[in-house]
C-alpha cells in the first residue's frame, strides 16, 4: 500500500523496531575465530533496513553508518542479536540506533558487543527521496532520543556539506 504525502500517518517507535538473530559461522570469521567487523556491519545494515522499511513502507536505502563502536569481539558459534529502533525522522531521512549483542550458546551469557547509528533515506518509485511518516513520541526517553538524534543528523549534514566543498 502506498501513501500520498497527505495520507502519511504518524507512527510510534515500537511499530517499526526490529530484532534480527544470526548464528556466526567460520566463513564469517578470521583464523582466530573472531567474526569480521564487516560481517557485523552487514547485519547492522540489514536490521536498520528492516526498521526503515517498516516505518516508511517504501524503499529505504542506507545514507550513512556512523558512530559504530565495536566494544567486544564476537566469536564463531555465537548468536548475534541486533536490536534496532528509530530515534529520529526528518522529511525523508531516519536515524536508526542498533544495539548488537553476542550470546554464547554454551553458557547463555549475552555481551554487548557493539552499537551503531544508521541513517536511512526513503525513496519513491523513481528513486527520489520521499516524505516519511512523523514519529509519535510517547515517553520522555523517546523525546530525549529524538532530540539527540536530530542533533546528530544536523551534524552529519553539516559534515557532508563540508566534505563536498573540498571536492
Amino acid at each position: 500500500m502506498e501513501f500520498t504525502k497527505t495520507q502519511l500517518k504518524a507512527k510510534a517507535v515500537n511499530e517499526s523496531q526490529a530484532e534480527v538473530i544470526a548464528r556466526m559461522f567460520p566463513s564469517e570469521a578470521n583464523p582466530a575465530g573472531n567474526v569480521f567487523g564487516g560481517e557485523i556491519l552487514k547485519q547492522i545494515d540489514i536490521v536498520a533496513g528492516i526498521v526503515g522499511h517498516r516505518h516508511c513502507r517504501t524503499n529505504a536505502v542506507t545514507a550513512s553508518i556512523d558512530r559504530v563502536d565495536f566494544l567486544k569481539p564476537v566469536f564463531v558459534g555465537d548468536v548475534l542479536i541486533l536490536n534496532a529502533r528509530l530515534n529520529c525522522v526528518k522529511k525523508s531521512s531516519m536515524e536508526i540506533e542498533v544495539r548488537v549483542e553476542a550470546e554464547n550458546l554454551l553458557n547463555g551469557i549475552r555481551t554487548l558487543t557493539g552499537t551503531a547509528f544508521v541513517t536511512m533515506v526513503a525513496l519513491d518509485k523513481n528513486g527520489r527521496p520521499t516524505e516519511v511518516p512523523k514519529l509519535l513520541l510517547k515517553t520522555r526517553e523517546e523525546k530525549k532520543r529524538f532530540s539527540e538524534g536530530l542533533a546528530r543528523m544536523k551534524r552529519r549534514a553539516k559534515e557532508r556539506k563540508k566534505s563536498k566543498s573540498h571536492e
Side-chain angles (χ1 to χ4, degrees):
M1 175 184 219
E2 272 195 52
F3 294 99
T4 64
K5 291 181 184 195
T6 58
Q7 293 173 309
L8 289 176
K9 184 178 177 228
K11 293 183 177 180
V13 171
N14 65 354
E15 290 182 69
S16 61
Q17 64 190 27
E19 179 176 82
V20 168
I21 300 172
R23 183 106 187 242
M24 297 294 102
F25 292 98
S27 61
E28 295 144 352
N30 65 24
N34 295 58
V35 174
F36 294 123
E39 178 61 30
I40 296 168
L41 284 171
K42 173 183 152 188
Q43 297 297 328
I44 288 169
D45 198 29
I46 289 169
V47 73
I50 292 169
V51 171
H53 281 104
R54 277 183 171 168
H55 185 71
C56 64
R57 297 294 179 196
T58 188
N59 189 24
V61 296
T62 305
S64 72
I65 299 178
D66 65 287
R67 196 59 223 190
V68 178
D69 289 309
F70 295 106
L71 305 171
K72 302 264 175 137
V74 177
F75 302 104
V76 169
D78 284 350
V79 172
L80 206 60
I81 303 160
L82 301 102
N83 285 287
R85 53 168 283 130
L86 274 170
N87 281 338
C88 183
V89 300
K90 287 175 67 179
K91 186 175 180 180
S92 63
S93 59
M94 304 163 275
E95 184 195 74
I96 298 156
E97 183 175 355
V98 181
R99 180 181 163 90
V100 183
E101 293 180 307
E103 180 181 344
N104 178 314
L105 291 177
L106 297 176
N107 60 24
I109 295 174
R110 281 189 181 191
T111 305
L112 179 64
T113 60
T115 59
F117 293 104
V118 181
T119 302
M120 304 289 293
V121 175
L123 301 177
D124 65 17
K125 289 181 194 176
N126 300 314
R128 301 296 227 181
T130 189
E131 193 173 343
V132 299
K134 302 261 185 256
L135 200 55
L136 289 175
L137 305 172
K138 296 180 178 180
T139 68
R140 240 184 269 157
E141 179 66 20
E142 289 174 352
K143 290 173 185 170
K144 179 180 178 237
R145 286 176 183 267
F146 186 91
S147 176
E148 292 170 348
L150 189 57
R152 281 188 296 271
M153 291 176 92
K154 286 178 181 176
R155 186 192 75 240
R156 282 183 211 110
K158 188 176 181 181
E159 289 170 358
R160 202 168 25 255
K161 189 175 184 178
K162 186 177 177 184
S163 293
K164 285 185 177 186
S165 71
H166 293 303
E167 290 180 350

